[in-house]
Amino acid sequence: MVELVVIDRAGAEHKFAAAPGMTLMESIRDQGIYDIKSLCGGSCSCATCHVYVDSGTPLAAMSEDEDDLLDGTSERQANSRLACQITLANGMAPLHVIIAPED
Amino acid sequence: MSTSDVLIVGGGQAGATAAITLRQLGFGGSVTILEATADLPYERPPLSKDYMLGQRAFESCLIRPARFWAEQKIDTLTNAAVATIDPARQQVTLADGRVLGFGKLLWATGGTPRRLTCPGADLSGVFTLHDKADADAIAARLDTPRRAVIIGGGYIGLEMAAVLRKLGHQVTVLEAQERVLARVAGETLSRFIETEHRAHGVEIRLGAQLREFRGLNGAVTAVVLADGMELPADFVVTGIGITPLAAPLLAAGAAGGNGVEVDEFCATSLPGIYAAGDGARHRNRFARDEWVRLESVQNATDQAITAAHAIAGQGKPYEALPWFWSNQYDLRLQSAGLNMGHDATLLRGDPAARSFSVLYLREGRLIALDCVNRTKDYVAGKTLVLNGALLDAARAADGDIPLKEASAG
Ligand SMILES: Cc1cc2nc3c(=O)[nH]c(=O)nc-3n(C[C@H](O)[C@H](O)[C@H](O)COP(=O)(O)OP(=O)(O)OC[C@H]3O[C@@H](n4cnc5c(N)ncnc54)[C@H](O)[C@@H]3O)c2cc1C
Ligand code: FES
């Protein structure tokens, strides 16, 4: 399991563990945190799953498409990612995630 | 008789989004979703993409996990199809005779797939692809290699063709027009998509006129064209568009025809009754305020948000930018804006390199764009369309210059 700490848009902290193999977007949604719309269902086409992520384990590099979509968000930061593009993997260090403001 | 403060008819993309938004806005009244089928709200796009491929479970297509609705005190009644509406009494009657009252009503029933009327159209093995039941019925045929004929070269038909080829089936696409995607895209994109599908082994027949389906023991075996050509088929998928489902609302006196007419707050002509999604005709800012009906996740979601704000007494007009995506093979198609009424097009990038964008202009301003494997253009284009930017045509057509640096002046 991968440990997660997710801060929602209201500032509330959610601590939970999620199964490897699912995406960060799915794990947040299934935990009952409903701030991310994920309109394109995770196909890297909408940027409505924008989060800020910090982790002890380096995350897989982002694709050019993800990078470009993030450029289109108004609140991009150095640790911006699309949650649907991060797959949780066995042995990952805990992830600290903040849901980015809505565009 | 039970009564809800807000009754939502149709538990699809728009209905679910409206209910979620009401709660996000702090609306504390009772909210009920009435859904005709047995399923809780789910996303339809995966039905012709990763769900059909078998790469995504149905649970992960749900717009929210089942427990969400109870947690948020949103009643979801499935197998509950609304048959009639009485706006004066503020009541609906279901197909099974149950009567429910409402304070406000949101009509979010989407559309129903158009069906062919030619001889043999009711044979088994002739499918539409609109809901989970359709997708599951088609998927059940995919256990061994089959010959499939797809009728209609629109997005759903083409996505289906791509999935079937990936799974190793033989595919023919029949399109009545002289190019695929004729209703939604410019010719450059149509020709590119045709070339891609042909390269993946799909047979595409343009200008194809259908005469009939032939069958054996009630099951389809062939598609016959007007010129007598007979194409053997183990099954057929028709993707020829949808008809909005609005009869009960129109019968109750709501203005409309091809769908229900709504104003900028998604209100129908009947007091306290709203509509959103595939069935809601509206004047769209990005179509120069012409009446349009859009069939997209974007429109269903943003109209539902608009309607929820109005219902919650926080009305703000609908002015969201239209956008759309489609995935076929390894192609990422992204569109923004509405291209109707364009007077010029520009091509950026190179179709042969499988990375290009088609820009649609009107009086020099960017009104829409279709991007293939070119997310950077899509992102920049959205802003330019939103701002009605005048383009420097030479710079915009130069794929080496970032699109965001292509506005004139
Ligand atoms: C296979 C497929 C692929 C798609 N791919 C994309 C894509 O890639 N990108 C994109 O942007 N869009 C795509 N779309 C379009 C998108 O799914 C629709 O635009 C969107 O679902 C419309 O939302 P809606 O709420 O208006 O209607 P729907 O989502 O269709 O929901 C309407 C609901 O109302 C119910 N209903 C109907 N009549 C009644 C009644 N009388 N009483 C109670 N309930 C009723 C229906 O059962 C249905 O569940 C796709 C659609 C399909 C079918
Ligand atoms: S869900 Fe659309 S980009 Fe992540």
Side-chain angles (χ1 to χ4, degrees):
Chain A
M1 298 297 272
V2 180
E3 304 288 320
L4 295 163
V5 179
V6 178
I7 316 285
D8 67 23
R9 292 214 177 100
E13 186 179 287
H14 306 257
K15 273 195 178 151
F16 59 101
M22 61 187 343
T23 68
L24 179 59
M25 180 272 276
E26 291 164 339
S27 69
I28 293 174
R29 191 190 56 191
D30 290 359
Q31 184 60 23
I33 307 165
Y34 302 117
D35 286 347
I36 49 179
K37 284 196 200 142
S38 55
L39 286 182
C40 76
S43 67
C44 196
S45 294
C46 71
T48 61
C49 64
H50 179 191
V51 293
Y52 305 125
V53 195
D54 289 304
S55 165
T57 313
L59 299 170
M62 65 174 87
S63 66
E64 204 181 322
D65 287 314
E66 181 181 350
D67 194 12
D68 292 341
L69 273 178
L70 283 167
D71 269 343
T73 65
S74 50
E75 312 275 353
R76 181 164 191 173
Q77 296 180 5
N79 57 352
S80 281
R81 292 298 303 254
L82 295 179
C84 70
Q85 298 303 302
I86 295 175
T87 304
L88 303 181
N90 254 326
M92 253 183 174
L95 295 180
H96 188 270
V97 181
I98 300 172
I99 300 181
E102 199 160 3
D103 257 322
Chain B
M1 183 190 74
S2 78
T3 293
S4 286
D5 295 318
V6 179
L7 194 58
I8 297 175
V9 185
Q13 189 76 45
T17 304
I20 296 166
T21 308
L22 282 168
R23 289 295 184 243
Q24 279 174 344
L25 291 173
F27 180 81
S30 51
V31 177
T32 301
I33 297 178
L34 302 177
E35 166 54 39
T37 70
D39 294 306
L40 289 172
Y42 60 92
E43 300 167 5
R44 285 171 203 276
L47 298 181
S48 53
K49 305 182 184 72
D50 40 5
Y51 180 73
M52 185 64 75
L53 268 171
Q55 290 175 351
R56 188 158 165 192
F58 182 66
E59 287 62 47
S60 100
C61 302
L62 290 173
I63 290 175
R64 291 289 182 266
R67 68 174 198 281
F68 169 83
W69 305 105
E71 278 168 18
Q72 295 291 316
K73 297 197 167 47
I74 296 165
D75 280 331
T76 47
L77 265 65
T78 50
N79 299 310
V82 168
T84 60
I85 304 173
D86 184 335
R89 290 207 175 121
Q90 296 181 252
Q91 290 176 356
V92 301
T93 305
L94 304 189
D96 60 13
R98 275 180 287 172
V99 177
L100 294 142
F102 60 85
K104 297 223 162 101
L105 183 127
L106 174 67
W107 188 257
T109 54
T112 186
R114 251 180 237 132
R115 279 162 215 278
L116 292 162
T117 51
C118 66
D122 52 0
L123 286 167
S124 84
V126 178
F127 300 107
T128 54
L129 178 49
H130 186 68
D131 59 20
K132 176 179 185 283
D134 295 336
D136 291 344
I138 297 170
R141 300 280 177 121
L142 305 182
D143 49 345
T144 52
R146 308 264 185 193
R147 290 162 304 180
V149 173
I150 293 175
I151 302 191
Y155 278 115
I156 292 177
L158 292 167
E159 288 181 351
M160 190 63 215
V163 167
L164 289 172
R165 283 304 300 149
K166 268 195 188 169
L167 296 174
H169 303 278
Q170 192 181 315
V171 186
T172 304
V173 174
L174 303 180
E175 168 56 55
Q177 308 280 314
E178 287 307 323
R179 58 187 177 90
V180 301
L181 297 177
R183 201 169 56 91
V184 289
E187 184 163 358
T188 315
L189 184 62
S190 299
R191 296 298 177 224
F192 170 78
I193 293 290
E194 289 163 8
T195 308
E196 280 291 319
H197 279 274
R198 286 180 171 136
H200 280 91
V202 175
E203 183 183 349
I204 299 185
R205 290 174 171 268
L206 302 170
Q209 302 300 322
L210 196 69
R211 186 196 288 165
E212 62 174 324
F213 297 109
R214 283 201 189 132
L216 190 66
N217 302 326
V220 73
T221 54
V223 179
V224 184
L225 302 181
D227 61 8
M229 169 77 138
E230 185 169 327
L231 306 165
D234 298 318
F235 67 90
V236 172
V237 180
T238 59
I240 52 170
I242 60 165
T243 313
L245 283 169
L249 200 49
L250 298 177
N258 169 25
V260 184
E261 283 178 11
V262 296
D263 68 10
E264 68 269 43
F265 301 103
C266 288
T268 69
S269 62
L270 299 173
I273 300 187
Y274 298 78
D278 282 4
R281 252 162 72 77
H282 62 283
R283 290 184 182 279
N284 195 295
R285 194 193 133 187
F286 295 92
R288 288 171 297 132
D289 291 329
E290 301 268 357
W291 288 98
V292 294
R293 208 168 51 66
L294 301 179
E295 297 165 9
S296 69
V297 167
Q298 173 280 319
N299 179 67
T301 306
D302 287 325
Q303 281 195 329
I305 292 172
T306 301
H309 276 80
I311 289 168
Q314 305 176 33
K316 51 176 191 181
Y318 179 58
E319 30 194 40
L321 174 71
W323 57 266
F324 187 82
W325 83 96
S326 172
N327 304 322
Q328 296 163 36
Y329 310 108
D330 58 341
L331 299 175
R332 178 181 298 285
L333 276 87
Q334 292 162 302
S335 304
L338 298 174
N339 65 20
M340 49 264 246
H342 68 270
D343 55 23
T345 59
L346 290 173
L347 176 66
R348 279 172 65 75
D350 182 8
R354 308 174 85 243
S355 167
F356 67 98
S357 300
V358 182
L359 312 183
Y360 302 88
L361 288 83
R362 186 182 159 81
E363 290 162 5
R365 291 178 196 281
L366 186 66
I367 60 168
L369 75 170
D370 292 325
C371 309
V372 175
N373 294 338
R374 239 176 132 86
T375 304
K376 229 188 247 342
D377 284 359
Y378 171 69
V379 165
K382 273 179 133 176
T383 310
L384 294 172
V385 173
L386 207 51
N387 299 336
L390 272 173
L391 286 196
D392 177 327
R395 289 174 68 79
D398 183 343
D400 293 335
I401 299 175
L403 183 57
K404 63 178 179 198
E405 291 165 22
S407 41

